[in-house]
Amino acid sequence: MSGPKLFERFELGGLSLANRIVIAPMCQYSAEDGCMTDWHLIHLGQLALSGAGVLTIEATAVVPEGRITYGDVGLWDDATEAAMKRVVDGIRAHSSMPIAIQLAHAGRKASTDLPWKGGKQIAATEANGWQTEAPSALAFGEGEAAPVALTRARMDAIRDAFAEAARRSARLGLDAVQIHAAHGYLLHEFLSPLSNRRDDDYGGSLENRMRYPLEVFDAVRGAFPADKPVTVRVSGTDWVEGGWDAAGTIAFAQALEARGCAAIHVSSGGLDPRQDIPVGPNYQVPLARAVKGAVSIPVVAVGLITDYEQAEAIVATGDADLIALARTILYDPRWPWHAAAHLGGRVRAPDQYLRSQPRRFKDLFDQPDDATY
């Protein structure tokens, strides 16, 4: 019998992964003026020892106004790059796990408080707040201040900021870039007819609404080394009638594939407070399955994947090529170890932890000479 599919090596746009487990980007809201801190070294460092296939740095704003909160990480100047370099170098000293970064702009969902402080919008006139910007001057929630509708010049500036952040990512030696076009943030706002009411070439038809996100992709792809992958995270549906849906997602994914996108990471929701999400195990897998049936590039499934057999089934049946973990791996940073033990797979552990291998799982840990990332 062959081993578990979840622990097979996987080639992603020239990047070789030890298995099909992706650590999804997870905001920590712990940066200072966009600069990473010791928290990020601790947080990402422990996850880099988890045995997963790839680690993704949290949503990283390409301009200060693109942060969700004042505690978000950024990569827009030399100071933010230097702070990130310190963290990346610290991880690299002890882990060879590939590191990706998610580049983002929060659009109208920016300028909010930290989640554990309520997460409400902060007015532009208050400390830690700023004027938000979006495709159209439509507020996200009732009672919130409306964003400023982006001018063509400002759209160009943000597109160029994405590209510059990609160049900084390359200087940092990061292995992949993911563009955030999901969860109701700026690029998703362009895609959805619920948030995009523009009457120029960037609004109206599906082709027009996809135009700016595709321009951003092209700019990032052109700025990042050709031999390294650029992927995109999408919301497969708004879960609101008349909003962004699976058909639009498929069209967008096909357009991205034609431009050299290496993979599509399929999430959902986040754009409209009216969303009605049928939350449960595998609730987003059908969206990933639909995209996978329409493109030839790899597809990543995410969302309430917690069980080892569940994860194995998703990739073994072909619903997706990889699975991503977020809250699950925060709760259990050794989830890949435990999944490998349960399924009969093997996983790389740091040399310092090799003696922790349980006696009943004698072949759980790969040795340094027979497994690399």
Side-chain angles (χ1 to χ4, degrees):
M1 293 181 62
S2 60
K5 195 84 169 177
L6 191 63
F7 288 92
E8 288 182 356
R9 297 196 71 85
F10 191 83
E11 298 299 316
L12 180 65
L15 181 62
S16 183
L17 308 184
N19 54 59
R20 296 170 183 246
I21 301 170
V22 174
I23 299 178
M26 293 171 280
C27 290
Q28 298 297 293
Y29 312 104
S30 300
E32 297 176 358
D33 296 323
C35 293
M36 284 186 159
T37 65
D38 285 347
W39 174 259
H40 298 93
L41 180 58
I42 295 169
H43 162 68
L44 294 170
Q46 61 153 343
L47 294 179
L49 304 180
S50 69
V54 59
L55 169 66
T56 313
I57 293 171
E58 67 188 76
T60 300
V62 299
V63 292
E65 300 82 6
R67 293 172 294 170
I68 305 166
T69 78
Y70 54 88
D72 282 22
V73 169
L75 189 56
W76 60 69
D77 62 9
D78 291 346
T80 52
E81 182 180 342
M84 187 172 290
K85 184 179 189 301
R86 174 177 172 272
V87 171
V88 171
D89 287 351
I91 296 169
R92 293 284 197 214
H94 301 287
S95 172
S96 58
M97 182 183 292
I99 306 174
I101 186 171
Q102 184 186 67
L103 300 181
H105 187 300
R108 67 182 186 178
K109 293 179 70 176
S111 188
T112 63
D113 208 343
L114 307 181
W116 50 87
K117 293 185 177 181
K120 292 184 178 181
Q121 185 187 59
I122 300 176
T125 55
E126 297 180 10
N128 296 321
W130 57 88
Q131 176 61 57
T132 58
E133 51 192 4
S136 303
L138 300 171
F140 171 72
E142 185 176 350
E144 292 190 355
V148 170
L150 289 169
T151 63
R152 175 71 256 190
R154 181 59 180 165
M155 289 166 61
D156 288 348
I158 293 172
R159 177 203 62 205
D160 293 347
F162 269 95
E164 179 60 19
R167 282 188 282 270
R168 292 182 184 276
S169 298
R171 282 203 296 268
L172 290 167
L174 297 176
D175 299 290
V177 163
Q178 180 183 93
I179 299 171
H180 200 350
H183 300 165
Y185 300 126
L186 183 66
L187 299 185
H188 184 184
E189 290 165 15
F190 269 93
L191 293 170
S192 176
L194 298 177
S195 49
N196 184 345
R197 303 290 177 82
R198 299 179 71 94
D199 58 6
D200 59 6
D201 290 343
Y202 295 89
S205 68
L206 175 61
E207 180 183 7
N208 282 0
R209 285 183 279 114
M210 293 195 305
R211 192 183 307 276
Y212 185 64
L214 291 175
E215 287 182 3
V216 170
F217 175 84
D218 288 343
V220 170
R221 180 62 283 179
F224 199 60
D227 60 344
K228 292 186 176 184
V230 175
T231 72
V232 177
R233 192 174 199 183
V234 299
S235 278
T237 175
D238 288 338
W239 300 109
V240 179
E241 185 176 354
W244 183 249
D245 58 16
T249 301
I250 289 170
F252 185 47
Q254 290 172 332
L256 287 167
E257 179 179 17
R259 284 164 167 78
C261 183
I264 303 290
H265 185 146
V266 185
S267 188
S268 72
L271 183 115
D272 193 299
R274 296 171 295 173
Q275 64 188 18
D276 185 14
I277 305 177
V279 176
N282 283 18
Y283 75 103
Q284 292 177 155
V285 171
L287 298 169
R289 183 189 308 126
V291 173
K292 184 167 170 55
V295 298
S296 60
I297 56 176
V299 174
V300 185
V302 67
L304 283 183
I305 300 172
T306 60
D307 183 78
Y308 315 133
E309 298 284 356
Q310 172 195 15
E312 171 67 11
I314 290 169
V315 296
T317 60
D319 281 343
D321 300 285
L322 305 102
I323 61 100
L325 305 176
R327 292 172 177 84
T328 294
I329 206 162
L330 288 184
Y331 184 75
D332 180 6
R334 296 290 181 266
W335 192 95
W337 292 16
H338 303 150
H342 180 84
L343 297 170
R346 302 187 73 187
V347 69
R348 179 75 178 99
D351 297 343
Q352 296 91 332
Y353 290 177
L354 291 176
R355 61 181 175 173
S356 73
Q357 179 174 266
R359 289 185 178 181
R360 65 185 183 280
F361 302 123
K362 295 181 179 180
D363 297 318
L364 175 62
F365 291 158
D366 282 321
Q367 299 302 307
D369 58 351
D370 64 10
T372 64
Y373 279 98

